[in-house]
Amino acid sequence: MTKRLLQALAGEAVWPPPIWLMRQAGRYLPEYRAVRAGVRDFVALCTTPALAAEVTLQPLRRFGMDAAILFSDILILPWALGRALDFVEGEGPRLPPLTTAAEVDALDPARLPAALAPVLETIERVRAGVGAAALIGFAGAPFTVACYMVEGQGSRDFAAARLMAWREPALFGRLMATLTEATIASLDAQIAAGAEAVMLFDSWAGLLPPGEFRRHVIAPAARIVAALRARHPAVPVIGFPRLAGLLLGEYAAGSRVQGLGLDTAAEPALAARLVAAEVALQGNLDPLALLAGGAALAAETAAILAAMRGRPFVFNLGHGILPATPPDHVAALVAQVRGA
Ligand code: CP3
């Protein structure tokens, strides 16, 4: 029996649609906070397979989601390439800002197998326990990962990274090329360890003007999809070029992803017209509507379901679940989608 998520990603209009939520494992769950309280830091949680596997499975136990997403982070890749990484409580990630050619040249793909070994062990453990749910592996897309590496932290506009791309295109291009190949290596290894689909998170893609979007978002995604498809033809890739706006159709056609994650601002019916009918759309409930719950949540959910009925679709949020979300609202959402 094919898993429902994989059927949808293969282009079938599975109904009711499969559902999972970005950041479904996390601080809004008391059982996650209990595990998190027992570890030194977030990187330790990501690299301790027994604990990472446990928190990956928590939302499945509670809500019966159609997919588990590996518990890790997009910034584990730069960490595995040799950059320091710290998550400051309440403030987000901190990395030493990468600014020089010597620092780009020092990124070391030879470190990946050993550094990523705990992540692959997490995948093996989760795969053994997912049952009818599908296991999704992931990576940050090269542009979004480069944003954090150059900036050193979160930002409204990632001006440092985008300035490097304008002022020192050869250097930024080398960073992007290294990240693209490392992303392929990571996702290839995740699939070999048991991931049944993979997702590419390009959270800051929407900051770029069209030419830069083609160069730094579509081209690397196309390279990653082609390399993975050559090695694992049956494993689908979900792209998430957040805030791609009018370039959504060009991203889907150019990257050749099988699934396309829609952000909160995307109009589902318009997105459906911009991409080929066999591409599964995924999304795109406002995380704040989920936090609010009640009539607003029910109405928004119904509108998305109505727009997506009859095409391959995966119900999800338009961005990650917020820490203040009441778990009961997630249970109500799952019940409504299952009753569609
Ligand atoms: O459940 C899941 O979705 C799987 C695990 C996952 C995490 N981060 C865990 C996490 C995934 C897929 C991510 C992706 C991620 N990480 C993205 C892309 C998606 C997006 O949200 O745009 C980005 C940009 C990051 C980088 C990142 N990691 C930031 C900016 C932060 C701090 C903000 C925050 O929410 O705390 C993190 C930390 C992080 N990653 C947490 C979790 C559960 C919280 C850490 C904690 O427990 O203290």
Side-chain angles (χ1 to χ4, degrees):
M1 191 206 66
T2 313
K3 298 180 178 185
R4 289 159 44 76
L5 178 91
L6 302 178
Q7 280 180 292
L9 291 173
E12 258 183 70
V14 180
W15 211 263
I19 176 171
W20 70 278
L21 304 178
M22 292 188 275
R23 291 280 183 96
Q24 65 187 14
R27 284 163 295 186
Y28 76 106
L29 288 178
E31 58 268 37
Y32 171 85
R33 295 196 298 271
V35 173
R36 179 76 175 79
V39 289
R40 188 172 71 248
D41 57 44
F42 180 71
V43 175
L45 177 53
C46 293
T47 53
T48 306
L51 298 182
E54 162 62 21
V55 297
T56 302
L57 290 168
Q58 284 174 344
L60 272 74
R61 285 192 207 114
R62 198 188 255 261
F63 308 113
M65 301 293 187
D66 291 292
I69 182 158
L70 165 69
F71 190 84
S72 180
D73 196 86
I74 65 166
L75 300 178
I76 290 292
L77 189 70
W79 172 82
L81 288 167
R83 303 299 288 171
L85 172 64
D86 200 13
F87 283 86
V88 181
E89 200 68 57
E91 287 183 42
R94 291 287 184 279
L95 305 89
L98 180 151
T99 56
T100 68
E103 287 171 319
V104 172
D105 292 338
L107 296 172
D108 185 6
R111 297 182 81 247
L112 291 179
L116 296 179
V119 174
L120 304 181
E121 189 188 330
T122 301
I123 290 176
E124 285 166 17
R125 285 172 184 248
V126 173
R127 182 66 191 274
V130 281
L135 173 54
I136 303 172
F138 73 90
F143 175 66
T144 287
V145 174
C147 277
Y148 285 97
M149 290 175 80
V150 174
E151 206 81 32
Q153 60 182 54
S155 161
R156 234 173 356 98
D157 57 5
F158 288 93
R162 296 180 47 228
L163 263 177
M164 183 192 277
W166 287 130
R167 284 183 174 150
E168 301 174 272
L171 179 60
F172 193 74
R174 272 198 355 256
L175 172 60
M176 289 290 293
T178 299
L179 290 174
T180 300
E181 297 316 305
T183 300
I184 292 167
S186 169
L187 293 175
D188 178 37
Q190 290 182 42
I191 293 166
E196 299 168 283
V198 294
M199 182 153 164
L200 202 53
F201 287 90
D202 219 342
S203 304
W204 300 105
L207 292 176
L208 292 171
E212 293 282 272
F213 184 93
R214 294 184 181 106
R215 191 171 303 122
H216 300 310
V217 174
I218 297 179
R223 159 96 187 107
I224 292 163
V225 170
L228 294 175
R229 193 157 302 159
R231 298 177 209 182
H232 310 280
V235 175
V237 181
I238 306 166
F240 181 50
R242 195 166 76 89
L243 301 175
L246 297 173
L247 292 174
L248 205 52
E250 197 174 322
Y251 176 92
S255 67
R256 307 194 62 233
V257 289
Q258 290 92 334
L260 185 65
L262 303 181
D263 59 70
T264 304
E267 159 61 66
L270 180 56
R273 292 210 293 275
L274 287 176
V275 308
E278 67 273 14
V279 174
L281 297 179
Q282 172 176 284
N284 70 338
L285 180 71
D286 183 355
L288 282 169
L290 180 60
L291 196 163
L297 170 59
E300 277 299 293
T301 301
I304 292 169
L305 288 168
M308 293 291 102
R309 185 155 201 147
R311 72 165 348 273
F313 176 59
V314 177
F315 199 99
N316 206 315
L317 298 173
H319 202 186
I321 199 165
L322 296 162
T325 305
D328 285 356
H329 295 185
V330 177
L333 169 66
V334 172
Q336 183 177 350
V337 171
R338 288 273 156 73

